[in-house]
Amino acid sequence: MTIAILGLRQRHVLELGNVFANKAGHFFVADQSFVNRCNENNLSARDIEFLQANGHVPVDNNLRSLSQKFQHEARSAKPDRLNYLILVPTLRCNLSCTYCQVSRVNEDRSGYDWTDEILDQVLSFISTIDGPEIKVEFQGGEPTLRLDLIKSVIDACRRFERAEFIICTNLASLGAEFVALLSDKRVHISTSLDGNRLVHEKQRTSKSQYTEQFFENLRCVIDIIGAERVSALPTIDQSNPPSPQDLIDAYTTHGFNQLFLRPINYQGFARKRHPASKSDHNQWWEYYDGFIEALIQRNFADQAVILEETYLSLCLKRIFRIGVDGHVDLRNPNPVGIDYIVIDHDGALYPTDEARMLTRSGVVDLKIGAVGEGIDETLKQVFNANVSNDGDPQCAACIYQPFCGRDVIDDLSRYGRIDLPRHETFFCQKHLRLFDLCMRLIYSDDPAVQYSLAKWLGLAGASLPCQPRAL
């Protein structure tokens, strides 16, 4: 039997070796002698026994085919109804971050908030949403500049059995009206914490008094609602990143057990102020790998609180669990305008928040309708004709296809086109790096690595079960 006959895909992962997987996502590591025996069609009885035990050589080839098709289909995202809104009640902001992705306008500008008419249209739009649950994320600008609009939306969602509201705020201001809103246990806060005071001031607040006010407001919010209802994420200047330990300390100090590590995104003001963010990725990956290593060692040394990098955890869960497809940045297929939509400050509808940013930057108009008129189904179909990695010849040969996804908006942002060979895109290169890292961690013998992986995957023990390896 050869690799092709077995329906296996192969990739050489640095510092690990040859990794094989089928289209259902079953994987194993093999040494070079196994590869040679496969290529020579000279598998031993021990090899056959290993492959049978791991589901790669069923007795019935038809059964194997049906089984793989079923598991491949089970990994496909199947969004069916709208239950997630990203709302932008205002584009005005009271900060001027150097890497602002949305090209916000100053706080004193007019014409950048929902009008009464648009608010009525948004509330009418919400009234048409079926189902028992809804999740609403308020973006900006700085959405807390219009708490009245936020409260109107929350009131309109009382009919849902389950509702969650995420206010994405810079926490520059924390008035009595804002504090009162926090008494609603459905309200969560998402903010930016770029590191210690010096780093945060350089990238976001610019003045010491604003920096101190932010940290005081952050402490106050956590005291009121607890760290479990507050999330924070750092934006990293890859040309001058904070030390991993300083960043970890900044998060654990405030009681956070998660962070989503991200470089400056090539959107909005960053396109002019941080042009290297478009293509300078080597520095980022060196930093990312070092950060994960520091995070793992920290978790093993102090097991009272386990800190995780949420995107790496997502990738691990995509490998081990079927049905983890609720994250719109990593699923396949990744259709737009079905389970989530963005409503901008002017009532325009966008397929993603990144599409809104691209339009705002003047790169390309990616609107797919208006809240008062509904979604333009023709435009939606244009997007959704290209949202799957199925059928792509390079993806079909990749061991990570079952776990990966598709992001046409990122391709448009970086290249102005969506037909580049997959391996030339940042999305592909990013996920090859991440899934390679996952495989190295999964097969690591280091107890510290195994401990973090077990906790990130929600396992009771201190390590993963032994993963298959062909010798």
Side-chain angles (χ1 to χ4, degrees):
M1 294 184 186
T2 64
I3 293 171
I5 291 174
L6 290 168
L8 293 173
R9 306 159 183 191
Q10 178 184 358
R11 176 173 173 81
H12 183 78
V13 177
L14 291 176
E15 302 175 20
L16 178 59
N18 299 289
V19 181
F20 292 85
N22 59 23
K23 68 177 183 180
H26 295 287
F27 63 90
F28 64 91
V29 166
D31 62 14
Q32 189 59 42
S33 62
F34 174 88
V35 177
N36 294 339
R37 292 194 298 275
C38 271
N39 291 335
E40 296 164 2
N41 197 13
N42 190 30
L43 291 176
S44 67
R46 181 184 178 188
D47 295 332
I48 300 296
E49 181 181 356
F50 169 83
L51 291 168
Q52 287 179 334
N54 289 280
H56 296 287
V57 187
V59 176
D60 186 330
N61 283 330
N62 289 328
L63 180 62
R64 179 189 70 178
S65 177
L66 287 173
S67 175
Q68 289 191 9
K69 286 180 179 178
F70 175 81
Q71 293 176 71
H72 174 74
E73 181 64 20
R75 284 186 176 273
S76 297
K78 300 176 181 65
D80 58 356
R81 61 178 180 81
L82 184 64
N83 59 10
Y84 183 15
L85 299 177
I86 298 177
L87 305 181
V88 186
T90 179
L91 196 61
R92 296 181 297 120
C93 189
N94 47 11
L95 285 184
S96 182
C97 305
T98 65
Y99 53 73
C100 181
Q101 302 175 59
V102 297
S103 304
R104 98 290 175 273
V105 298
N106 290 338
E107 183 178 2
D108 59 0
R109 296 286 297 276
S110 60
Y112 290 92
D113 297 10
W114 285 349
T115 62
D116 290 342
E117 180 183 9
I118 293 175
L119 173 60
D120 288 342
Q121 292 170 346
V122 170
L123 300 183
S124 177
F125 186 87
I126 291 173
S127 72
T128 67
I129 297 175
D130 296 325
E133 62 185 16
I134 190 169
K135 182 176 182 179
V136 180
E137 182 175 318
F138 296 99
Q139 288 272 6
E142 172 52 39
T144 63
L145 294 177
R146 291 302 307 269
L147 287 169
D148 58 324
L149 299 177
I150 290 176
K151 289 191 290 186
S152 293
V153 170
I154 291 175
D155 288 341
C157 293
R158 295 190 184 281
R159 67 181 180 86
F160 294 97
E161 295 177 20
R162 296 178 299 278
E164 180 180 348
F165 306 100
I166 302 170
I167 302 176
C168 301
T169 171
N170 57 36
L171 289 179
S173 178
L174 189 64
E177 188 179 10
F178 190 0
V179 171
L181 193 59
L182 299 178
S183 63
D184 187 335
K185 293 184 178 180
R186 301 171 301 169
V187 173
H188 298 250
I189 296 299
S190 176
T191 193
S192 293
L193 174 60
D194 284 359
N196 60 29
R197 280 169 164 75
L198 290 176
V199 173
H200 196 82
E201 183 171 314
K202 178 182 178 182
Q203 296 190 172
R204 294 188 59 82
T205 51
S206 74
K207 295 182 179 180
S208 60
Q209 62 266 37
Y210 299 155
T211 307
E212 293 305 315
Q213 187 64 62
F214 163 77
F215 281 99
E216 174 60 24
N217 290 342
L218 176 60
R219 183 200 60 77
C220 184
V221 168
I222 292 173
D223 287 346
I224 294 171
I225 65 175
E228 63 276 7
R229 279 173 56 197
V230 182
S231 62
L233 68 162
T235 300
I236 307 300
D237 181 351
Q238 58 205 47
S239 65
N240 186 27
S243 76
Q245 193 57 57
D246 283 350
L247 186 56
I248 290 170
D249 289 345
Y251 274 72
T252 56
T253 296
H254 295 285
F256 294 124
N257 56 18
Q258 294 181 332
L259 77 165
F260 175 23
L261 205 62
R262 63 177 186 176
I264 291 174
N265 192 8
Y266 187 65
Q267 301 277 15
F269 291 164
R271 299 177 78 91
K272 293 182 178 180
R273 298 180 182 177
H274 299 274
S277 62
K278 179 180 180 180
S279 57
D280 185 10
H281 307 312
N282 288 333
Q283 281 183 299
W284 168 249
W285 290 118
E286 290 175 6
Y287 179 79
Y288 187 89
D289 290 347
F291 182 89
I292 297 301
E293 181 178 354
L295 190 66
I296 286 170
Q297 296 305 320
R298 180 256 164 227
N299 285 343
F300 199 60
D302 179 8
Q303 299 179 9
V305 177
I306 303 301
L307 188 64
E308 69 175 336
E309 200 282 308
T310 54
Y311 202 79
L312 181 64
S313 290
L314 172 66
C315 290
L316 288 164
K317 291 169 185 172
R318 290 277 295 172
I319 291 172
F320 285 107
R321 298 177 187 169
I322 290 176
V324 180
D325 50 27
H327 197 293
V328 297
D329 288 339
L330 189 59
R331 63 180 185 177
N332 182 57
N334 190 14
V336 303
I338 296 178
D339 55 335
Y340 74 105
I341 199 79
V342 181
I343 305 178
D344 204 2
H345 69 96
D346 58 359
L349 300 178
Y350 291 98
T352 69
D353 205 27
E354 289 72 20
R356 169 176 76 106
M357 298 171 191
L358 278 176
T359 303
R360 175 68 182 155
S361 299
V363 177
V364 59
D365 188 345
L366 296 178
K367 290 193 296 289
I368 58 170
V371 66
E373 302 167 3
I375 296 173
D376 185 320
E377 293 297 326
T378 300
L379 290 175
K380 188 175 81 170
Q381 289 173 13
V382 170
F383 274 102
N384 288 340
N386 301 280
V387 293
S388 175
N389 65 29
D390 294 325
D392 186 290
Q394 291 182 317
C395 294
C398 180
I399 65 171
Y400 300 136
Q401 183 188 24
F403 324 129
C404 201
R406 183 79 166 92
D407 189 345
V408 296
I409 305 300
D410 190 68
D411 288 354
L412 285 171
S413 172
R414 296 174 186 278
Y415 318 112
R417 52 191 290 192
I418 63 172
D419 60 346
L420 277 182
R422 194 61 36 225
H423 70 281
E424 295 181 16
T425 67
F426 174 73
F427 183 88
C428 178
Q429 294 167 7
K430 168 186 175 180
H431 288 93
L432 285 174
R433 288 289 302 250
L434 282 169
F435 285 122
D436 279 354
L437 174 58
C438 286
M439 286 297 169
R440 284 194 293 271
L441 296 175
I442 289 167
Y443 281 93
S444 172
D445 294 327
D446 186 339
V449 171
Q450 289 294 312
Y451 181 78
S452 277
L453 261 60
K455 299 311 173 187
W456 294 340
L457 288 168
L459 304 182
S463 64
L464 299 184
C466 185
Q467 300 303 309
R469 186 188 296 265
L471 301 174

